[in-house]
Amino acid sequence: MVCIIYAHPNPKSFNKAIKEVVLETLSAKGVQYNLRDLYALEFNPVLSARDFETFLSGGVPEDVRREQEIIKGAKLLVFIYPIWWTGMPAILKGYIDRVFSYGFAYEERDGELVGLLSDKKAFIINTLGASELDYRPSGMEECLIKTTDIGIFKFCGIEVIRHLFLYAVPYVSDDERKAMLDKVKKQLEEVL
């Protein structure tokens, strides 16, 4: 099972085109998947005081439990989202804050924090408005990898097997965007 976690509010965005290519590729390969379109689900990204109380009492909020069950059943997590202000959209950050919680994604054992999702792999697909020349030399791409791939997913035990950056999406030609979609398809096929 593949879980696609998608975070973009615009139904005409290039991210939607990426999502469609991912779904078509999975369907063509006969791979079962579960799409989590966070905006369509109207997922509540706010980690509230009530959430903390529930977690501290050993419970899990119902919407979080549902997402955790879906993630438990997946071997591959495909994240599709734009980079806004050098980070992920707030709805996705809130999803991680709430769903990748203590006791589900990590825990303490003998004074050490241990990732609990080591049976999962991740493929991250990001769109950026900036060019590769703007991001790479400045070290921003490396920062994104450190904060996301290592700081979030590796911490939870998830192996990031691909992190695809698609640069200058609003400024490139349609042919270049088509080539990007072909790259998404090819790289996804390689990891299935």
Side-chain angles (χ1 to χ4, degrees):
M1 174 73 75
V2 175
C3 179
I4 302 108
I5 300 166
Y6 174 73
H8 201 293
N10 183 350
K12 296 180 180 180
S13 72
F14 187 64
N15 280 259
K16 181 183 183 229
I18 293 167
K19 176 187 75 171
E20 294 304 319
V21 164
V22 167
L23 298 180
E24 289 166 11
T25 303
L26 294 172
S27 293
K29 295 282 187 185
V31 176
Q32 289 187 324
Y33 63 83
N34 197 321
L35 172 64
R36 311 312 295 153
D37 180 336
L38 301 185
Y39 285 96
L41 292 169
E42 297 181 350
F43 183 81
N44 177 8
V46 178
L47 180 60
S48 67
R50 180 180 290 170
D51 287 344
F52 269 112
E53 291 170 10
T54 303
F55 287 128
L56 288 173
S57 68
V60 178
E62 187 53 40
D63 62 335
V64 170
R65 180 185 311 283
R66 186 172 40 254
E67 298 304 315
Q68 289 177 345
E69 288 300 318
I70 291 166
I71 289 171
K72 278 183 195 174
K75 291 293 182 191
L76 177 64
L77 307 174
V78 178
F79 291 86
I80 304 167
Y81 61 94
I83 297 298
W84 290 340
W85 293 103
T86 67
M88 61 184 63
I91 198 167
L92 179 56
K93 176 61 170 69
Y95 182 90
I96 290 168
D97 288 348
R98 295 186 70 221
V99 175
F100 286 61
S101 60
Y102 184 85
F104 171 72
Y106 67 98
E107 70 181 6
E108 183 182 348
R109 290 185 193 156
D110 300 322
E112 299 283 326
L113 290 173
V114 177
L116 300 176
L117 301 176
S118 59
D119 63 331
K120 316 274 179 240
K121 297 186 183 316
F123 180 15
I124 303 167
I125 305 166
N126 293 143
T127 57
L128 299 96
S131 73
E132 192 169 357
L133 289 174
D134 290 330
Y135 259 72
R136 279 216 173 133
S138 70
M140 292 307 292
E141 183 179 296
E142 183 182 348
C143 289
L144 289 170
I145 290 169
K146 284 182 180 177
T147 57
T148 306
D149 300 24
I150 298 167
I152 296 171
F153 298 118
K154 184 177 179 184
F155 178 81
C156 295
I158 300 169
E159 177 188 359
V160 176
I161 52 176
R162 296 278 166 98
H163 194 150
L164 179 58
F165 294 99
L166 302 172
Y167 290 98
V169 169
Y171 309 106
V172 298
S173 69
D174 284 344
D175 286 342
E176 288 170 294
R177 280 190 284 275
K178 286 176 187 170
M180 290 177 182
L181 294 175
D182 289 341
K183 189 174 190 176
V184 167
K185 180 178 192 249
K186 182 180 179 204
Q187 289 199 15
L188 180 58
E189 288 173 338
E190 289 171 359
V191 302
L192 291 176

